[in-house]
Amino acid sequence: MTKTVTLNGEPRDIEPGATLADLIATIAEQPQALATAVNGEFVPRDARAQVQLNEGDAVFTFQPITGG
Amino acid sequence: MALKIAGVELESRLFLGTARYPSPAVLQQAIAASGAQVVTVGLKRQLAAGGTPNDLKLIRDSGTRVLPNTAGCYTAREAINIAKMARELYETKWIKLEVLGDEYTLQPDPFETLAAARELVNDGFEVFPYCTDDLVLCQRLLDAGCRILMPWGAPIGSGQGIINPTALRTLRARLPGVPLVVDAGIGSPKDAVQAMELGFDAVLLNTAVAQADDPVGMARAFKLAVEAGRLGYESGIMAKQDMAVPSTPVTGRPFLL
């Protein structure tokens, strides 16, 4: 049975047992060009494959931008 | 005399923000014209997955050192997580710590800033805290392990210049030897001169250049202003006098004995 998480605020269905790395792979051609957080906590790039997503998890991705 | 910040020697005492420029090309030219060796950058939550925008590539190619910021954060927890993401994406342990307390004034939340600074320093970051000009807060940030302080001149983007030179003068006097950078509110080159003449070690500005009619010209103006202000400070500015002191050494009045 699929689970539903949110990705940058939008609902997203994921397969059971899907990890953060699995989810990122479906949305990004360059997974190394973004940073990830789950439920407000940073998840390092090399830990994404160990983070299993649960129902209702809030996943956020961040990218570099210009800034002051 | 070169500036040493966080173990790095810098020739330029002008740090430049990279936001709000009319185009990537103008940003690139402004960075070059400013002579800045440190530029600030940020992170934003994605609306859709994407690659690295062109702006970032040109920043990387500019040969400057990036100082990522935690803009948009209102709590220590947010800032700490943004900082960790910035460290991973930008491959630097430098972080401009910006934790805001009010969405209109964009002033730093001193309590959240201090809490975040402690944790980030313990996690190996080189923290550049954007702070108010409160001496006690500044001292606490140093106690927490910050090696540099970045007190505001005026609210971010306001261009008001240095609203409280007395407070900045106090910081300089009470914190000798601490690298101090005026960050926020600089509006025109005279503000940068004022900051440098107060003995501050550098200035960080963004809007004053990005939103000028000619950002590239303004970047050069600020480069000169920072150099002039620093040279003036190092040369020992004359003491102010209450009354006039004649310059020309005449003897008395010309036609009266």
Side-chain angles (χ1 to χ4, degrees):
Chain A
M1 194 172 67
T2 60
K3 299 182 197 176
T4 305
V5 298
T6 58
L7 176 60
N8 296 322
E10 297 294 320
R12 188 96 177 188
D13 288 336
I14 56 169
E15 294 300 311
T19 65
L20 178 61
D22 294 331
L23 175 58
I24 298 305
T26 67
I27 60 156
E29 285 182 13
Q30 298 177 28
Q32 71 282 6
L34 53 84
T36 52
V38 177
N39 300 329
E41 296 293 323
F42 166 63
V43 178
R45 196 179 290 136
D46 54 13
R48 292 175 192 166
Q50 281 78 53
V51 172
Q52 199 148 73
L53 295 173
N54 300 308
E55 177 75 25
D57 277 346
V59 177
F60 288 101
T61 61
F62 288 79
Q63 68 184 58
I65 53 163
T66 52
Chain B
M1 204 188 325
L3 166 64
K4 197 158 180 183
I5 293 256
V8 174
E9 277 210 1
L10 300 167
E11 289 302 318
S12 169
R13 294 173 179 272
L14 175 56
F15 298 176
L16 194 61
T18 59
R20 308 184 70 194
Y21 286 77
S23 72
V26 170
L27 167 58
Q28 184 177 38
Q29 292 159 33
I31 291 174
S34 72
Q37 294 171 289
V38 177
V39 297
T40 54
V41 290
L43 283 190
K44 77 164 181 183
R45 197 175 68 224
Q46 292 185 313
L47 297 172
T52 308
N54 280 340
D55 296 5
L56 273 305
K57 184 177 184 312
L58 69 87
I59 289 170
R60 286 205 173 101
D61 293 345
S62 68
T64 55
R65 194 175 251 278
V66 294
L67 174 59
N69 68 28
T70 64
C73 293
Y74 282 77
T75 67
R77 182 166 172 258
E78 286 174 350
I80 289 162
N81 281 286
I82 292 291
K84 290 178 178 176
M85 286 192 265
R87 179 169 58 182
E88 182 178 90
L89 278 173
Y90 287 109
E91 297 176 332
T92 176
K93 61 182 183 180
W94 283 18
I95 191 76
K96 171 179 159 173
L97 177 60
E98 190 178 303
V99 192
L100 304 180
D102 184 278
E103 62 186 17
Y104 285 95
T105 65
L106 301 184
Q107 67 193 79
D109 181 319
F111 311 101
E112 296 294 303
T113 298
L114 184 54
R118 277 199 190 101
E119 187 161 331
L120 290 172
V121 167
N122 287 338
D123 194 14
F125 283 87
E126 190 72 59
V127 176
F128 292 58
Y130 162 59
C131 56
T132 61
D133 49 29
D134 183 274
L135 172 61
V136 176
L137 169 64
C138 287
Q139 187 59 63
R140 295 289 173 269
L141 287 166
L142 296 172
D143 295 342
C146 295
R147 298 201 285 177
I148 175 176
L149 297 169
M150 304 215 295
W152 62 350
I156 293 170
S158 70
Q160 292 178 31
I162 295 178
I163 290 181
N164 196 344
T166 303
L168 295 187
R169 197 173 294 119
T170 300
L171 292 181
R172 180 73 288 172
R174 294 291 291 129
L175 303 172
V178 176
L180 297 177
V181 180
V182 173
D183 174 19
I186 300 269
S188 73
K190 74 174 190 318
D191 304 326
V193 173
Q194 185 181 17
M196 299 311 291
E197 287 183 7
L198 285 171
F200 272 62
D201 297 278
V203 296
L204 195 166
L205 55 93
N206 189 151
T207 307
V209 167
Q211 295 287 296
D213 291 344
D214 173 7
V216 179
M218 190 59 75
R220 180 150 191 277
F222 271 106
K223 173 181 188 294
L224 296 170
V226 169
E227 287 172 5
R230 180 63 185 184
L231 186 54
Y233 171 74
E234 289 176 354
S235 301
I237 297 167
M238 62 169 279
K240 284 197 175 69
Q241 306 293 325
D242 284 339
M243 295 290 160
V245 177
S247 309
T248 313
V250 300
T251 47
R253 304 266 296 272
F255 302 111
L256 296 178
L257 297 170

